């Protein structure tokens, strides 16, 4: 017999057949996977926690480590395998932890080392691993290294990227070149004490580290080792395309279509071959991987390194490395975030998935994500008020049932949407640097609003009158407690999907996806002598009848039952 789940917009179908035969599929996981022992990180469900917004334990309006400790059972209840924490390190918070003043200390706003050890033990008791964000491209300008570099104290003199000023026709000091910061304005800031400019590809309080300095490289490796010695299970290494700059510091070339624009220089007006994706970057990732593998070789415990790079697909795939120079276990896959929205048809969905699978090196692990702390939430990109989250369930089905690892950004399990953040509430430096006229486009604050635990004051996130960012006003209905008691709900759908990820079919099975119509996309996960799952997603806005009879892995005489309907489906389980 079989089980089938259906919805207005999507469904998962489970089929059993005594006569199931192995088929030739459009996409297939390597046959070796059937016999291969899979590492934990290859099949894991990762849950990304934006620490400031998860749970405030002390009433200061900011999330902290004890808050995560208090809510750790939520991860177990969901079926999460690994928690990914945003930076916890000491920081002036110019970029909320991504400007680090001490890589080996926990910021007091978030707690103490004892709090971290307690959380680690709590997660370990629940069978959940923990990985941290590592920020190698830059430090804070309040780091002791930068202060010593300003004073030209060895060996820190060249730990950062310093350049002399240029002079224009009026004998006025100008930056070394025309490089622009991702956070708007020039990528160069003058230091009066040193009498030179320093490079910062992000905020001016985030000076770029100089990876052509071997002493700096060894210090950064030791920062990795510090937390590995404390027993963490790996890292997500962020902003890696920017580690190296062209040694000649050549001007960037302006894009032809931007030549006529009269507004101030911005980052997206230029090509960036001098500051992104230089060959040396991949060699440095190989060196970081060697540090990770030191620990695996030492105790046999597998650890993971994931790279974050917003760059071309070709350059992203290079982060996997090769047989002689290992790279990341997985470069982060942004395809479902960058390429899809509420207007995408079935062809776009098919392309977004195949784009990764077709280009991924043989034998490597795929990974999927539908949101993170830098992009609009999935309910905002795909949903609307009338469908109560729209495509949330469909996107979770896609994200969690494709081959490989899956990443959930906190709140996706209950369909949280972005919060409307006004100019006077904006705290994100990228948004503030863009000014009142541009902050709504560039600010990352809307996707970072506090987690909605219940319908109590401030959604149960904090007892403080003023959280660090406003709570979404829809929290009275879109919250965890409400959805735990509701059937159906996004939360209940998510839990069933997490459980499905533990099956042999989803962990090892072949993948076959195709368009059934302009607006209906479907895929199967199948494995010989095991159940087959069929996911059918209506990504449009109208009812459609679709014919599944010609699907190569489906038998006409099989009985199908609904396994997991989405929130707004007219079907029920079974």
């Amino acid at each position: 017999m079989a089980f089938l789940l259906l919805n207005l917009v999507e469904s998962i179908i489970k089929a059993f057949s005594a006569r199931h035969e192995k088929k030739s599929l459009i996409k297939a996981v390597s046959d070796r996977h059937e016999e291969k022992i899979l590492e934990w990180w290859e099949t894991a469900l990762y849950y990304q926690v934006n620490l400031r917004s998860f749970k405030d334990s002390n009433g200061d309006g900011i999330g902290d480590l004890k808050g995560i400790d208090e809510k750790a059972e939520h991860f177990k209840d969901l079926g999460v395998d690994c928690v990914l924490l945003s930076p916890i390190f000491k920081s002036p918070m110019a970029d909320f932890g991504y400007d680090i003043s001490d890589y080996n200390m926990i910021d007091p706003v978030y707690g103490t080392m004892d709090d971290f050890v307690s959380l680690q033990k709590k997660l370990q008791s629940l069978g959940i691993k923990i990985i941290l964000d590592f920020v190698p491209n830059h430090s804070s300008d309040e780091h002791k290294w930068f202060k010593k570099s300003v004073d030209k104290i060895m060996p820190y003199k060249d730990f950062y990227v310093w350049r002399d000023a240029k002079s224009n026709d009026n004998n006025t000091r100008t930056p070394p070149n025309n490089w622009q910061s991702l956070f708007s304005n020039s990528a160069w800031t003058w230091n009066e004490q040193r009498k030179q400019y320093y490079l910062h590809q992000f905020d001016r309080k985030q000076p770029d580290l100089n990876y052509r300095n071997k002493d700096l490289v060894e210090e950064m490796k030791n920062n990795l080792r510090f937390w590995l010695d404390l027993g963490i299970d790996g890292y997500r290494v962020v902003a890696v395309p920017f580690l190296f700059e062209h040694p000649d510091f050549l001007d960037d070339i302006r894009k032809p279509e931007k030549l006529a624009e009269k507004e101030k220089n911005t980052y997206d007006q230029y090509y960036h071959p001098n500051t992104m994706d230089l060959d040396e970057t991949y060699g440095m990732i190989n060196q970081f991987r060697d540090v990770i593998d030191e620990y695996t070789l030492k105790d046999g415990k597998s650890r993971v390194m994931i790279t974050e790079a917003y760059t071309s697909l070709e350059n992203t795939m290079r982060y996997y490395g090769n047989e002689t120079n290992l790279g990341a276990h997985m470069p982060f896959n942004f395809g479902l975030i960058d390429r899809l929205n509420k207007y995408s048809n079935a062809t776009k969905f098919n392309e977004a998935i195949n784009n990764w699978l077709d280009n991924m090196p043989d034998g490597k692990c795929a990974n999927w994500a539908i949101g993170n702390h830098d992009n609009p939430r999935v309910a905002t990109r795909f949903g609307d008020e009338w469908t109560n989250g729209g495509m949330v369930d469909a996107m979770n089905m896609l994200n969690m049932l494709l081959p490989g690892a899956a990443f959930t950004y906190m709140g996706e399990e209950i369909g949280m949407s972005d919060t409307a953040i006004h100019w006077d509430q904006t705290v994100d430096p990228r948004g503030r640097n863009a000014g009142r006229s541009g902050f709504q486009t560039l600010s990352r604050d809307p996707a970072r609003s506090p987690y909605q635990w219940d319908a109590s004051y401030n959604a149960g996130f904090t007892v403080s009158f003023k959280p660090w960012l406003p709570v979404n006003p829809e929290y009275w209905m879109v919250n965890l407690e409400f959805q735990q008691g509701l059937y159906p709900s996004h939360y209940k759908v998510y839990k069933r999907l997490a459980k499905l990820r533990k099956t042999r079919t989803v962990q090892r099975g072949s993948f076959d996806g195709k368009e059934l119509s302009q607006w209906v996309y479907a895929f199967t996960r199948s494995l010989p002598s095991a159940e087959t799952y069929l996911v059918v997603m209506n990504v449009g806005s109208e009812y459609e009848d679709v014919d599944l009879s010609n699907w190569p892995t489906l038998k006409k005489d099989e009985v199908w039952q609904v396994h997991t309907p989405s929130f707004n489906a007219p079907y029920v389980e079974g």
Side-chain angles (χ1 to χ4, degrees), residues 75-86:
F75 307 131
K76 181 69 173 179
D77 182 53
L78 279 179
V80 168
D81 300 299
C82 181
V83 170
L84 163 61
L85 285 185
S86 59

Side-chain angles (χ1 to χ4, degrees), residues 31 69 106 113 201 215 257 283 340 429 448 490 509 525 563:
D31 291 338
D69 201 320
I106 290 172
M113 187 62 77
Q201 296 198 63
D215 291 329
E257 66 273 19
L340 300 177
R448 298 179 176 185
H490 298 314
R525 301 299 311 282
H563 182 281

Side-chain angles (χ1 to χ4, degrees), residues 337 370-381 409 412 418 443 446-447:
I337 300 174
I370 54 175
N372 59 33
H373 65 300
D374 286 333
N375 291 278
R377 288 184 173 276
V378 66
T380 298
R381 296 202 322 274
Y409 177 51
E412 288 170 359
D418 286 358
S443 176

Side-chain angles (χ1 to χ4, degrees), residues 45 59 63 87 210 289 335 341 364 381 482 521 523 530 537 547 554:
L45 174 56
N210 178 19
R289 173 65 182 269
N341 56 46
K364 299 296 184 180
R381 296 202 322 274
F482 180 68
Y521 178 73
F523 66 90
M537 301 170 55
D547 183 0
L554 307 186

